[in-house]
Amino acid sequence: MERIALFIDGANVYAAAKRLGWNFDHRKILEHFSAPGRLYNAFYYTAVPTPIDDKQKRFTDALTYMGYTVRTRPLREATDDSGDTYRRASLDIEIVTDLLTTSDQYDTAVLLTGDGDFERPVEVLRARGKRVVVASIAEMTSYELRNAADQYVDFKDIREHVERPGYRLPSEQRGLETRPFYTSAALDGDDR
């Protein structure tokens, strides 16, 4: 039976949900992507404010309860060239570390991100005989990453299997905020 590992770039998936206008049910994501085999592990990578607020704590606790291994990094505040302040955190190193150090435990890696920074680690995994599935949305997925993977899955094509119906994104509930709660370094450039 195929052993499957799931790696979710939380910032990238959150940004995709905002673009799509609907949110993901993380339990359904587990079920959908592990259906062809046996789930080895599911990793979820997310930035958290310092100190962590109640809403973020409930979210990470819920993910843990569902069976995810949650990796976090504190948000850092930065200022761009125009003087705008934003918060960001990059978990790319954590994702790559888990992808490579656990590769003996799975046959297929399912990577939920469109970040082009993962092109080379995906190539390394494939050279080691691993199958790699990338899932995201076309407008947020780098050509190089899509080309490096064995299979690409567009979230739009699996909406009925992974959507959390009736659930609004936190930024929609606030009403005033137009930017995501945090952005990943991968979302800042044009390297998609």
Side-chain angles (χ1 to χ4, degrees):
M1 180 176 272
E2 182 182 16
R3 299 171 302 162
I4 299 167
L6 189 60
F7 302 86
I8 300 177
D9 178 347
N12 203 276
V13 169
Y14 181 82
K18 285 193 57 89
R19 284 196 185 194
L20 291 167
W22 49 271
N23 207 355
F24 296 93
D25 181 322
H26 293 290
R27 187 178 315 277
K28 288 181 180 179
I29 286 175
L30 278 176
E31 292 167 0
H32 178 77
F33 286 106
S34 65
R38 181 179 57 84
L39 185 67
Y40 152 68
N41 202 347
F43 296 92
Y44 191 98
Y45 306 85
T46 187
V48 294
T50 305
I52 190 168
D53 60 45
D54 287 341
K55 186 178 283 189
Q56 189 71 23
K57 176 85 170 101
R58 284 192 309 270
F59 177 66
T60 57
D61 287 350
L63 290 171
T64 302
Y65 180 76
M66 287 178 216
Y68 285 94
T69 298
V70 179
R71 304 269 197 243
T72 62
R73 290 208 51 182
L75 286 164
R76 294 184 320 249
E77 205 164 276
T79 306
D80 64 17
D81 294 337
S82 65
D84 291 333
T85 302
Y86 59 94
R87 297 183 296 175
R88 66 183 265 186
S90 176
L91 285 105
D92 291 1
I93 295 299
E94 286 80 359
I95 296 171
V96 171
T97 300
D98 287 336
L99 274 167
L100 298 177
T101 60
T102 64
S103 66
D104 289 343
Q105 305 300 317
Y106 62 82
D107 305 306
T108 298
V110 179
L111 183 59
L112 275 68
T113 189
D115 187 343
D117 291 343
F118 296 107
E119 174 193 9
R120 186 66 184 129
V122 166
E123 290 172 345
V124 169
L125 287 172
R126 290 189 64 205
R128 292 181 179 176
K130 304 301 175 183
R131 183 171 174 270
V132 180
V133 176
V134 168
S136 188
I137 57 175
E139 58 268 27
M140 288 181 55
T141 305
S142 79
Y143 171 79
E144 293 80 11
L145 178 62
R146 194 171 176 165
N147 190 50
D150 291 289
Q151 181 183 356
Y152 171 75
V153 176
D154 193 311
F155 290 145
K156 295 172 190 170
D157 296 336
I158 61 170
R159 179 177 182 171
E160 66 186 76
H161 303 288
V162 298
E163 181 180 12
R164 185 172 178 188
Y167 181 79
R168 295 176 55 154
L169 295 168
S171 60
E172 292 172 342
Q173 293 170 0
R174 286 193 286 272
L176 301 175
E177 193 170 325
T178 58
R179 290 171 51 167
F181 179 65
Y182 63 88
T183 56
S184 166
L187 299 176
D188 293 338
D190 291 328
D191 56 344
R192 277 181 240 322

